[in-house]
Amino acid sequence: QVQLVESGGGLAQAGGSLRLSCAASGRTFSSYAMGWFRQAPGKEREFVAAISYSGGNQYYADSVKGRFTISRDNAKNTVTLQMNSLRPEDTAVYYCAADRSILVVTSETRRLDAWGQGTLVTVSS
């Protein structure tokens, strides 16, 4: 099973940018669909973005569409979330996740094969 480690969280001002990275262990990275999720204090975990196995298809929550971009590099076992035009409501712990089914990544917020430990993103107004 793949193991995931996120990095790149931190503090940004509204309108600014941050780039999150997720490094995966294992030799089967390309057989996993990947996603980013977030959980704000007192709120449920929500889907942010997902990317298919080869990276050819991307999916976004309406709240981040046009501002966030998900990408992956199967040669380096990494997935990245570029976050632009950040808003205070983007403040949350961001999690990288993997599942063998792109359907699961885009429709579930809990029952995925693997999760990272999370990285905190704080956006100040």
Side-chain angles (χ1 to χ4, degrees):
Q1 185 170 333
V2 66
Q3 294 183 323
L4 308 172
V5 178
E6 302 100 335
S7 61
L11 177 64
Q13 291 188 332
S17 298
L18 282 173
R19 186 179 180 91
L20 305 183
S21 293
C22 175
S25 64
R27 295 181 231 176
T28 59
F29 179 68
S30 61
S31 66
Y32 286 88
M34 300 298 297
W36 286 95
F37 297 77
R38 67 186 181 187
Q39 187 164 16
K43 294 188 177 182
E44 294 290 320
R45 185 174 298 179
E46 63 177 1
F47 167 78
V48 175
I51 191 165
S52 60
Y53 315 94
S54 63
N57 294 290
Q58 301 87 39
Y59 309 84
Y60 298 95
D62 288 344
S63 58
V64 306
K65 202 171 292 183
R67 301 188 298 122
F68 290 10
T69 302
I70 188 171
S71 60
R72 68 188 294 165
D73 186 335
N74 285 347
K76 296 181 179 179
N77 282 15
T78 58
V79 61
T80 299
L81 185 68
Q82 177 67 43
M83 305 186 296
N84 298 328
S85 302
L86 284 164
R87 304 167 179 170
E89 54 264 38
D90 294 320
T91 295
V93 176
Y94 283 71
Y95 298 91
C96 174
D99 199 276
R100 293 190 181 273
S101 168
I102 185 64
L103 180 62
V104 170
V105 176
T106 56
S107 63
E108 297 281 345
T109 59
R110 294 288 174 182
R111 294 181 293 175
L112 277 72
D113 289 340
W115 292 89
Q117 82 286 357
T119 185
L120 177 63
V121 170
T122 304
V123 183
S124 63
S125 57

